[in-house]
Amino acid sequence: MNDRMGTRAPRITHPERVVDAASGITKGELAAYYASVAPLMLPHLKGRPVALVRAPEGVGGELFFQKHAQHSDIAGIRLLDPALDPGHDPLLQIDTAEALVGAAQYNTIELHTWNATSRAIGKPDRMSFDLDPGEGVAWQQMQEAALLVRVLLDELGLPSFLKTSGGKGLHVVVPLRRQFGWDEVRGFSRAIVEHLARTVPERFVAKSGPRNRVGKIFADYLRNGFGATTVSAWSARARPGLGVSVPLEWEELPDLDSAAHWTVAHIAGRLAVGNTPWDAMEGSRTGLGAAMAVLGFLPS
Ligand code: ATP
Ligand code: MN
């Protein structure tokens, strides 16, 4: 790790400790994964508030979801201006490999980010749709559902990008021009999901709760509110096997066998592809006005 990170590589204590019994991955190996993936992951973390999922006892032990801190021992992590999230301790931000690996030293397994940057925290720069399979939903239905979401977004003139969650589902991301506030973006994402559930009711449900979801796919728009977070691309998941959230081309979706297709133990070959499936994202930022008009949505 020192080669890659110079003299600022944080020391990893207890590197031999097994973090995930299913894969046998140790704390040292997970830290090494984050060091190696840092060049790919930092563009997704930089400039955004981050939430950490820490697992001091590893996968299967108690998880600590941390969005704020008065003080952090993680070397290089930034504590943001408390005014960004009034009434709370400072939000956290990770802009460097040092801080990313430092987070792993402090037992972080997952890193989740906001849909806005810290510099413009009032205006989201992306909209996320979290597709969750209800009980009894086959993977093939997830694949079809994601394609239906893409088609609807296309019809609304909104380019969309896909990633595995590393867990059970898929995440669809729409890059936005910073134009509307949280309420408008969340309200519109809700309108999109409700439209889907009305149009393809046998496949989609817009209401949360496991009983509403049996045999259906829950398209969650709640990731689009102020303070909501979604797991970052390239984050490992604190679940058996340590799946990884990986950006992919829409054309790759039919070949995937699950949302945890890539794991920390089996991701080396994917690193060369890296973020290229999302290369067009920055250039695709779109305003929502035209799409709102198509759906008859009136921003308040
Ligand atoms: P899957 O594909 O398996 O659904 P996912 O990443 O879409 O994976 P979850 O891991 O269930 O979904 O995470 C749900 C979201 O809720 C996360 O993105 C995270 O930001 C948020 N979250 C998770 N744990 C907590 C918590 N303890 N407190 C507040 N928010 C949380
Ligand atoms: Mn999900």
Side-chain angles (χ1 to χ4, degrees):
M1 238 181 293
N2 275 313
D3 288 344
R4 207 180 293 273
M5 310 223 340
T7 51
R8 305 189 59 173
R11 194 165 79 91
I12 303 300
T13 54
H14 303 296
E16 72 293 341
R17 205 170 64 211
V18 173
V19 166
D20 170 47
S23 60
I25 295 284
T26 64
K27 183 181 172 192
E29 288 168 333
L30 185 59
Y33 165 69
Y34 277 122
S36 72
V37 86
L40 297 178
M41 189 168 181
L42 287 171
H44 303 279
L45 296 175
K46 267 185 191 162
R48 293 176 192 276
V50 68
L52 309 178
V53 177
R54 294 160 84 166
E57 289 146 33
V59 172
E62 193 176 353
L63 299 180
F64 297 90
F65 187 84
Q66 182 178 24
K67 279 173 72 180
H68 306 94
Q70 185 62 253
H71 161 84
S72 177
D73 288 325
I74 296 173
I77 200 165
R78 283 185 60 196
L79 303 185
L80 298 174
D81 180 350
L84 294 182
D85 196 6
H88 295 277
D89 283 343
L91 290 163
L92 307 170
Q93 187 169 303
I94 286 182
D95 293 326
T96 63
E98 179 194 20
L100 178 56
V101 178
Q105 158 58 13
Y106 285 91
N107 302 310
T108 299
I109 298 185
E110 304 187 0
L111 299 99
H112 296 236
T113 56
W114 287 43
N115 282 335
T117 60
S118 311
R119 290 178 145 198
I121 203 156
K123 293 199 170 160
D125 67 348
R126 67 187 183 211
M127 189 162 61
S128 304
F129 297 93
D130 167 33
L131 305 182
D132 285 335
E135 211 183 300
V137 170
W139 174 245
Q140 194 195 329
Q141 292 172 285
M142 284 298 290
Q143 291 165 304
E144 290 166 6
L147 290 173
L148 287 171
V149 171
R150 184 194 190 197
V151 167
L152 173 58
L153 292 170
D154 274 351
E155 280 172 6
L156 295 173
L158 301 174
S160 58
F161 296 82
L162 181 66
K163 69 184 182 70
T164 61
S165 77
K168 288 186 290 192
L170 294 164
H171 296 158
V172 177
V173 181
V174 177
L176 301 179
R177 293 213 325 264
R178 292 187 195 92
Q179 172 189 22
F180 289 104
W182 291 100
D183 290 349
E184 287 90 356
V185 171
R186 188 184 55 181
F188 185 51
S189 66
R190 174 179 184 167
I192 291 173
V193 162
E194 286 175 349
H195 179 83
L196 262 177
R198 261 198 317 275
T199 319
V200 201
E202 60 283 4
R203 196 47 68 84
F204 288 102
V205 53
K207 271 192 242 143
S208 65
R211 288 181 47 222
N212 293 315
R213 301 198 207 175
V214 175
K216 297 191 185 178
I217 288 150
F218 175 54
D220 188 0
Y221 60 87
L222 289 173
R223 300 297 176 88
N224 296 307
F226 179 84
T229 57
T230 299
V231 75
S232 171
W234 304 108
S235 176
R237 306 309 307 267
R239 309 193 193 173
L242 296 180
V244 174
S245 178
V246 174
L248 63 153
E249 305 278 359
W250 282 103
E251 290 66 31
E252 293 181 281
L253 180 58
D255 301 328
L256 281 200
D257 48 21
S258 82
H261 185 91
W262 289 282
T263 66
V264 171
H266 299 109
I267 199 159
R270 184 66 184 186
L271 299 183
V273 175
N275 291 318
T276 55
W278 285 14
D279 274 352
M281 185 177 273
E282 278 306 316
S284 308
R285 298 196 173 283
T286 312
L288 287 177
M292 286 173 169
V294 174
L295 267 197
F297 177 86
L298 296 174
S300 51

